Amino acid sequence: MRTKMRLNNDPSKLSLSPLVSNGISQMMSNPPRNEGSSAVSSIKSSAFGNHTERNFDVVKDSMGLAISLNKTESLDAVLDDFSEGYFSLSNENRKKLLLVLAKEYDLNRNQVRELLKQYLGLELQSGNEGESSNVDDGSVLFSAFYQIEKNLRQALKPTYDVLFERFNNHTGGLKFLSILRADILSILEHENIVSLRALEYFLKEKLSTWLSPAALELHQITWDDSASLLEKIVAYEAVHPINNLLDLKRRLGIGRRCFGYLHTSIPGEPLIFIEVALLKNVAQTIQEVLWDDPSIPEPEATCALFYSISSTQPGLAGINLGKFLVKRVITLVKRDMPQVSTFATLSPIPGYMQWLLSKLASQSVLAKGDNTEQPAGGSGSTFQENLLEPDEERMLMNSAPETCAGKNGMEVMLNLLTATNYEWTSSAELVSALKPPLMRLCARYLLQEKKGGKALDSVANFHLQNGAMVERLNWMADRSEKGLRQSGGIMVNYMYRVEHIEEYAQSYFSTGHIHASSDVRLYTMPQKEHEATAD
């Protein structure tokens, strides 16, 4: 049975919506995308089957019937008909239909306005001096308040709420709604359509309610699970691709654990799963976790290391199932293995190199005296600053080959990091010269660069909001092409100190404060203070 299981990391082999061009999420509430997932955009099928495209108006009418029908005995057939019709549509017609849903089945604002007028009228009447204080009059007045409030609550629900509720109670409906939201998110990546954004937000809130921890089953995924489930683990693994059967078996074998959240409405398919390595110490490189042999005997393990968290449903992006999963797994491991006292991650830093290259490019432009031009796609600074310490600049200028020469250290660094095939990693001298600035600027990126008061890096934000702290930066921890492209090969250990998880999560949520070890904070200190501390 196992030998027949096709191992590949091509999400296009799974049943996803053709509008989802980047379907596989990685590590967080709003995660980075898996390589190769653009293949999903070409698929014209889903878990609900392949169909010749139907007439748009027919599918539109089917949607209207799914919302308006009162006959319970016919509802399942109508919902099936609409979902099949939806999946038969081209990308353009799906977008057109979603806009109809967002606009024509929105709430009735004229009704809301009239109810508000009535409500305000009652407030004014009750506040007039000289009004009767008769108890009966007061009861009538409050009865009127309650009735209008009830009507307001109903009026503030958009009509498409009926469709969502019906699909949630329909076999396969939750999966359909997840794909529907994935399509909406795909459209919103390119166009900011207000009505569609309101539709997406409303659906997200509904899904968040329906996918509460109480509705999810924590399942330990083992080698004995069905081949179809294991195929999904292989295909959806978004952090460290599973290469072959032996690789998969190792990740599910002695010294390793894999847990996933399942939902009864999407049987046999984890919504999110986490991979755990049982170790003596916190690993510093992904090599130790994935390839170094042999695994230690489990009774000797004192550390549970989370090295991969992957979401399988693009339509659930932003719904933080991982938060609950991490905490549940910590509780379960503590119960089953009391000797394990350390809970940490070995995590990628997916946004670091993009941020750094943008900073270096913008500073290069400013150094040339052109303050108006900014690099495309970056968040370049409008202020001139030297990102390098004097010693770092000297080392880079002295070690750079002619092909990567520049007028200053930042230009040299930019040339080295953007050179093809990451040639700098093959030179011990260049690796030595780049390590100090890359590690220091990585600490700055993780601890100080923020968006909306929260960590700029998506994986950092995920773990920090869950109550972790930044424990250690690891140089050359992931030498894969992906690791070098995302973070120059640097990985980070986040530590979950059980006794402080809630405290750290609350302080991060309320003030944006990031807890970090003294070793990591040392990187962000000015050079003179750093040297004084070292002495």
Side-chain angles (χ1 to χ4, degrees):
M1 177 178 173
R2 302 298 174 200
T3 57
K4 293 181 180 179
M5 186 171 65
R6 299 182 301 277
L7 291 185
N8 60 69
N9 283 81
D10 183 1
S12 68
K13 299 298 187 291
L14 298 180
S15 302
L16 296 179
S17 163
L19 272 180
V20 184
S21 60
N22 292 295
I24 311 304
S25 301
Q26 170 184 303
M27 299 295 283
M28 65 217 155
S29 52
N30 187 17
R33 288 159 172 85
N34 188 25
E35 266 95 85
S37 58
S38 59
V40 181
S41 62
S42 65
I43 306 171
K44 301 297 180 183
S45 63
S46 72
F48 301 87
N50 289 311
H51 307 278
T52 303
E53 181 165 5
R54 294 186 190 176
N55 179 275
F56 173 82
D57 289 330
V58 171
V59 180
K60 177 185 172 184
D61 291 342
S62 176
M63 180 176 71
L65 187 60
I67 294 172
S68 62
L69 186 70
N70 291 322
K71 294 182 179 180
T72 307
E73 65 274 11
S74 305
L75 185 58
D76 285 340
V78 170
L79 293 172
D80 284 336
D81 182 67
F82 169 58
S83 62
E84 290 175 7
Y86 178 83
F87 285 121
S88 79
L89 295 177
S90 66
N91 293 353
E92 191 58 37
N93 276 338
R94 287 194 190 189
K95 175 183 173 182
K96 185 178 174 183
L97 186 68
L98 288 169
L99 288 173
V100 170
L101 182 63
K103 294 177 180 179
E104 295 185 14
Y105 294 91
D106 198 357
L107 57 86
N108 185 334
R109 289 182 175 79
N110 288 328
Q111 183 184 7
V112 172
R113 189 182 300 113
E114 288 303 314
L115 287 168
L116 286 173
K117 286 180 180 179
Q118 294 176 31
Y119 193 83
L120 291 174
L122 286 176
E123 283 192 316
L124 291 172
Q125 179 183 344
S126 64
N128 287 339
E129 292 185 10
E131 287 290 328
S132 170
S133 58
N134 183 281
V135 175
D136 290 337
D137 289 345
S139 297
V140 171
L141 184 62
F142 278 110
S143 178
F145 270 127
Y146 296 148
Q147 185 60 48
I148 295 176
E149 289 162 359
K150 176 184 175 182
N151 294 339
L152 262 174
R153 281 192 293 270
Q154 191 61 36
L156 286 169
K157 285 185 179 180
T159 307
Y160 46 69
D161 177 55
V162 175
L163 183 69
F164 297 158
E165 288 285 352
R166 287 180 168 181
F167 266 111
N168 182 49
N169 294 314
H170 179 66
T171 302
L174 193 65
K175 176 77 172 181
F176 172 76
L177 292 177
S178 171
I179 295 173
L180 197 75
R181 181 167 179 258
D183 284 352
I184 298 169
L185 290 171
S186 180
I187 296 168
L188 291 174
E189 282 185 359
H190 304 97
E191 297 179 71
N192 185 22
I193 304 171
V194 176
S195 59
L196 204 57
R197 192 165 294 283
L199 175 69
E200 183 277 320
Y201 179 79
F202 188 87
L203 180 53
K204 177 185 175 183
E205 292 297 299
K206 303 293 286 189
L207 290 170
S208 297
T209 301
W210 295 328
L211 295 173
S212 67
L216 300 172
E217 174 197 350
L218 182 65
H219 174 69
Q220 182 177 344
I221 299 162
T222 71
W223 185 248
D224 294 325
D225 275 306
S226 68
S228 62
L229 188 149
L230 297 183
E231 278 190 319
K232 290 181 174 67
I233 296 298
V234 172
Y236 283 121
E237 165 55 67
V239 188
H240 305 292
I242 298 172
N243 300 309
N244 50 47
L245 276 173
L246 289 177
D247 189 6
L248 175 63
K249 195 166 187 177
R250 172 177 167 78
R251 298 195 195 195
L252 302 177
I254 296 173
R256 299 293 181 268
R257 296 287 189 274
C258 182
F259 298 94
Y261 262 148
L262 302 179
H263 192 281
T264 54
S265 294
I266 310 178
E269 184 169 345
L271 305 184
I272 186 171
F273 61 92
I274 185 171
E275 296 173 70
V276 186
L278 301 171
L279 308 168
K280 283 187 177 180
N281 301 297
V282 179
Q284 299 185 52
T285 70
I286 198 60
Q287 170 86 21
E288 301 170 54
V289 178
L290 296 181
W291 300 295
D292 286 356
D293 285 318
S295 300
I296 64 166
E298 290 190 0
E300 297 180 15
T302 60
C303 169
L305 186 89
F306 310 134
Y307 64 93
S308 178
I309 303 177
S310 300
S311 170
T312 69
Q313 308 296 319
L316 302 184
I319 299 172
N320 195 357
L321 300 178
K323 172 183 178 180
F324 305 114
L325 180 60
V326 168
K327 291 182 178 180
R328 285 282 303 277
V329 169
I330 289 175
T331 301
L332 189 62
V333 172
K334 279 176 62 67
R335 185 196 70 187
D336 294 344
M337 306 184 71
Q339 80 276 14
V340 173
S341 57
T342 301
F343 297 89
T345 79
L346 182 61
S347 299
I349 314 168
Y352 173 44
M353 199 53 58
Q354 180 183 9
W355 169 82
L356 178 59
L357 294 178
S358 176
K359 295 285 286 187
L360 290 170
S362 63
Q363 291 304 313
S364 177
V365 169
L366 290 171
K368 293 175 182 177
D370 185 354
N371 294 335
T372 60
E373 181 182 350
Q374 292 293 336
S379 55
S381 169
T382 57
F383 301 101
Q384 198 160 349
E385 64 171 327
N386 193 342
L387 299 174
L388 300 172
E389 299 285 359
D391 290 347
E392 296 169 350
E393 182 142 19
R394 279 193 295 272
M395 285 187 67
L396 283 169
M397 296 297 287
N398 292 336
S399 59
E402 290 185 7
T403 54
C404 293
K407 295 179 181 178
N408 54 52
M410 288 190 295
E411 194 170 317
V412 168
M413 190 174 184
L414 179 62
N415 292 337
L416 286 171
L417 295 176
T418 54
T420 57
N421 300 323
Y422 307 98
E423 296 166 357
W424 62 272
T425 60
S426 302
S427 166
E429 186 178 9
L430 288 177
V431 169
S432 178
L434 281 169
K435 180 179 178 180
L438 283 179
M439 292 286 275
R440 179 178 56 79
L441 291 168
C442 186
R444 166 181 164 177
Y445 170 71
L446 290 175
L447 302 186
Q448 298 176 351
E449 297 297 323
K450 298 186 177 183
K451 180 180 180 180
K454 300 296 185 289
L456 183 60
D457 188 78
S458 58
V459 174
N461 182 60
F462 171 80
H463 286 294
L464 293 169
Q465 70 180 355
N466 292 347
M469 65 176 291
V470 185
E471 179 68 18
R472 182 174 64 195
L473 297 182
N474 302 300
W475 178 245
M476 288 290 103
D478 183 0
R479 289 176 172 266
S480 68
E481 188 277 335
K482 182 179 180 181
L484 293 170
R485 173 171 49 79
Q486 288 187 339
S487 61
I490 302 172
M491 298 187 78
V492 56
N493 297 124
Y494 297 101
M495 187 75 74
Y496 283 89
R497 301 193 183 280
V498 178
E499 66 277 15
H500 294 301
I501 286 178
E502 296 304 327
E503 172 194 345
Y504 289 176
Q506 181 58 37
S507 63
Y508 180 70
F509 176 78
S510 58
T511 67
H513 177 69
I514 296 174
H515 292 270
S517 68
S518 56
D519 288 344
V520 174
R521 292 209 175 275
L522 201 59
Y523 283 115
T524 63
M525 294 173 60
Q527 191 173 41
K528 290 183 179 180
E529 292 183 31
H530 192 160
E531 292 170 353
T533 303
D535 293 339

